Each structure stands twice: as C-alpha cells, then as structure tokens.
Amino acid sequence: MGNISFINILLPDNLAAATVVAMTSATRNQGKGGGVDYTDRQYWSGLIKMSLSKFFILAELQRRPMHGYEIARQVELSTKGCCAPTAGALYPVLREFEEGGYVTALIEHTGGRQRKVYTITDKGQRAFAVAVEAWREVGAYLDGQG
C-alpha cells in the first residue's frame, strides 16, 4: 500500500462518536447560545483524528498480528503522532472488529501475564481495501480531481 495522506481519510461509521467528542471540545470554548463552534480548529481536528482510528488500526494489523498496546504505539508512530488512540478508544474498536469477524484474538501468555494478540481476517482485509478506495475517492475530491 502506498502512502495515504491524512486528508484522504474519512470513516463514515465512526463519525457519530467523533462528532460527540469533537462537539464537547468545541462547545466547551463557547459562550451563550449553545451549538458547535465550527470555526474551532479543535472541533475539526478531533473529528478527523477520531475518524482515522479504525482505518489505521486495520492498516497496522495488515502488517502483522499485534497486541493492543503495540497497535496503539504503531498507529502513533506511523502517523507521526497525528493519530494516537488511547486504550479507551482502541479496545472498543478491537472488540467491535472481533465481534464483526474483521479480526481474531488469541490469548498469549507472556511473563506471567496474558494479553490478546489480534490478527486481521480475510473479511478485515476486504474491509481495509474498501476503506482505502473510499479514502482515495475523498482525497481526489478534496484535491479537486473528483
């Protein structure tokens, strides 16, 4: 897979949760009148970063099976810190992917501790391919080629 710029990425299935988080940030900085301040860069940044998480989780699992902390660390490294999923954001997504058949999880015992190692399935690989195409379409539109 080639490099995918951040602007080419938008995951519609995660927008509702991202909107809630971003709206909370944007409305916190607002005076009377309520609503979202769409001129607040934090609103848009939060919305985009939250939307990227699922995509980058699948992207990292394309490389090799990993445990949760390692996935979060690799996402942060590969995006140069732009997208850094917290445990509170990561594990619900992994659980959703597991329940949907997009990843499998095996318990690994290491140093007296156990952890889940996640592996992308064929269904997860197909989902990632669809996501890449969606990103390219959005990116082409944003670049004025769509």
Side-chain angles (χ1 to χ4, degrees), residues 5 10 24 33-34 47 54 58 61 66 68 85 91:
S5 65
L10 181 63
T24 301
L47 181 69
K54 287 183 180 181
L58 287 176
L61 288 172
M66 293 181 224
Y91 289 104

Side-chain angles (χ1 to χ4, degrees), residues 29-103:
N29 300 329
Q30 238 180 293
K32 294 180 182 176
V36 175
D37 179 1
Y38 292 108
T39 63
D40 184 350
R41 190 171 187 331
Q42 274 189 307
Y43 167 80
W44 293 105
S45 182
L47 181 69
I48 292 166
K49 286 178 183 180
M50 287 295 293
S51 297
L52 295 174
S53 292
K54 287 183 180 181
F55 179 85
F56 283 118
I57 290 167
L58 287 176
E60 289 306 323
L61 288 172
Q62 290 276 87
R63 300 175 196 268
R64 62 186 163 75
M66 293 181 224
H67 57 81
Y69 173 76
E70 188 176 21
I71 295 168
R73 188 181 55 182
Q74 287 303 123
V75 166
E76 185 173 7
L77 287 171
S78 69
T79 65
K80 296 182 172 108
C82 178
C83 185
T86 63
L90 176 69
Y91 289 104
V93 170
L94 289 171
R95 189 170 27 262
E96 180 183 326
F97 283 165
E98 188 176 7
E99 289 170 358
Y102 301 97
V103 302

Side-chain angles (χ1 to χ4, degrees), residues 4 7 13 17 25 28 30 39 56-57 66 74-75 82 84-85 110 116 125 130 134 137-138 140 142:
I4 296 173
I7 203 155
D13 60 336
S25 171
R28 215 178 293 131
Q30 238 180 293
T39 63
F56 283 118
I57 290 167
M66 293 181 224
Q74 287 303 123
V75 166
C82 178
T110 306
K116 281 188 174 184
Q125 289 175 350
V130 169
E137 183 179 311
V138 170
L142 292 173

